[in-house]
């Protein structure tokens, strides 16, 4: 296995592992307050926004410029395609956002249980994160311009891992409230992020096949993540009237990810 594929897999396993750690809190702690949950959701949104900009879009535009392309063209095209694909998946895959009533389930009509729909929503959320990690490591290994760095890819994995830690908690406890046992809540909480190492491998492998399209792939991953932030994380963080706290969490998450990327990248 090439080094960049191995690194992408290890990074995906790292982000999944932190989700599992967060989900394991269901065994030891009481359910977090809604204030804390909204702060966590805001933090996750901020990390993903900063990662999209500093780890994917900006290096992708530098790469496109070094290749003699118009820098903003791959960024715009890839970004819109990434968001468009997530919108298509969002429209077709049956799922239910956390703390939303059953009748607000999205996707094709189904008789699936509420618990299944909740898990599918988080899985849909985690897939672009795994793809982004894989694309970042693939870009580091295959970009001849040097715009993508190993430090930037590591920073992206760390940032996504940090926001996955509270995310595992935010998945497991709502499932527990739905009547699921602690063991199953943990299992489903970590299972929702199992797509991340798979997505990381897929992203790195795709990049290897079409290296000249790296700027498009990086923007594509950014667009998919931003779609998740705007479609899911921000609305969910504003449900219970703690919008100011959620906004502070977003700014904190953005700052942490920005600092990581600048320090390591």
């Amino acid at each position: 296995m090439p080094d960049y594929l191995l690194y992408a897999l290890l990074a995906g396993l790292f982000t999944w592992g932190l989700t599992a750690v967060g989900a394991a809190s269901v065994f030891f702690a009481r359910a977090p307050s809604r204030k804390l949950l909204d702060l966590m959701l805001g933090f996750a949104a901020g990390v993903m926004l900063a990662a999209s900009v500093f780890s994917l879009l900006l290096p992708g535009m530098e790469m496109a410029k070094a290749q003699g392309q118009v820098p903003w063209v791959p960024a715009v095209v890839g970004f819109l395609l990434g968001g468009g694909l997530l919108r298509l998946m969002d429209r077709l895959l049956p799922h239910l956002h956390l703390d939303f009533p059953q009748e607000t389930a999205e996707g094709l009509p189904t008789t699936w249980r509420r618990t299944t729909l909740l898990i599918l929503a988080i899985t849909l959320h985690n897939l672009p994160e795994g793809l982004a990690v894989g694309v970042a490591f693939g870009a580091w290994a295959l970009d001849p311009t040097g715009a993508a760095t190993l430090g930037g890819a590591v920073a992206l994995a760390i940032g996504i891992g940090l926001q996955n830690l509270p995310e595992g908690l935010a998945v497991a406890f709502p499932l527990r409230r739905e009547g699921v046992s602690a063991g199953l809540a943990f299992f489903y909480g970590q299972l929702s992020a199992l797509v991340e190492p798979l997505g990381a491998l897929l992203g790195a492998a795709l990049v290897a096949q079409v290296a000249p399209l790296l700027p498009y792939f990086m923007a594509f991953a950014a667009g998919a993540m931003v779609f998740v932030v705007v479609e899911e994380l921000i609305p969910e963080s504003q449900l219970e009237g703690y919008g100011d706290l959620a906004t502070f969490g977003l700014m904190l998450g953005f700052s942490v990810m920005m600092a990581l990327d600048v320090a390591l990248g």
Side-chain angles (χ1 to χ4, degrees), residues 96-104 114 118 232 235-236 239:
L96 176 67
H97 299 307
L98 293 174
D99 294 319
F100 277 72
Q102 179 83 21
E103 57 269 20
T104 64
R114 177 181 173 86
L118 288 169
E232 298 182 18
E236 287 170 17
L239 276 178

Side-chain angles (χ1 to χ4, degrees), residues 34-47 49 229 233-256:
R34 186 66 210 198
K35 284 184 178 181
L36 180 58
L37 181 59
D38 287 348
L39 179 67
M40 291 174 177
L41 289 170
F43 182 86
V47 167
L49 285 176
V229 169
L233 294 182
I234 291 177
E236 287 170 17
S237 72
Q238 305 288 322
L239 276 178
E240 301 294 332
Y242 300 114
D244 288 346
L245 193 61
T247 301
F248 172 75
L250 186 149
M251 296 181 69
L252 179 63
F254 190 98
S255 299
V256 168

Side-chain angles (χ1 to χ4, degrees), residues 93-198:
L93 181 67
H95 63 284
L96 176 67
H97 299 307
L98 293 174
D99 294 319
F100 277 72
Q102 179 83 21
E103 57 269 20
T104 64
E106 300 179 25
L108 296 175
T110 181
T111 57
W112 292 348
R113 296 175 57 189
R114 177 181 173 86
T115 301
T116 303
L117 295 174
L118 288 169
I119 295 165
L120 285 173
I122 303 301
T123 301
L124 181 62
H125 168 152
N126 284 328
L127 180 59
E129 296 175 10
L131 286 172
V133 169
V135 167
F137 278 95
W140 156 69
L142 302 168
D143 170 35
T145 70
T149 65
L150 177 59
V154 170
L156 177 61
I158 292 173
I160 289 178
L162 286 176
Q163 66 96 20
N164 276 0
L165 187 63
E167 187 176 273
L169 181 153
V171 174
F173 277 106
L175 290 175
R176 192 79 175 95
R177 289 200 301 270
E178 294 289 324
V180 176
S181 69
L184 277 179
F186 164 74
F187 175 75
Y188 290 137
Q190 61 81 32
L191 185 66
S192 67
L194 198 57
V195 295
E196 293 198 9
L198 301 176

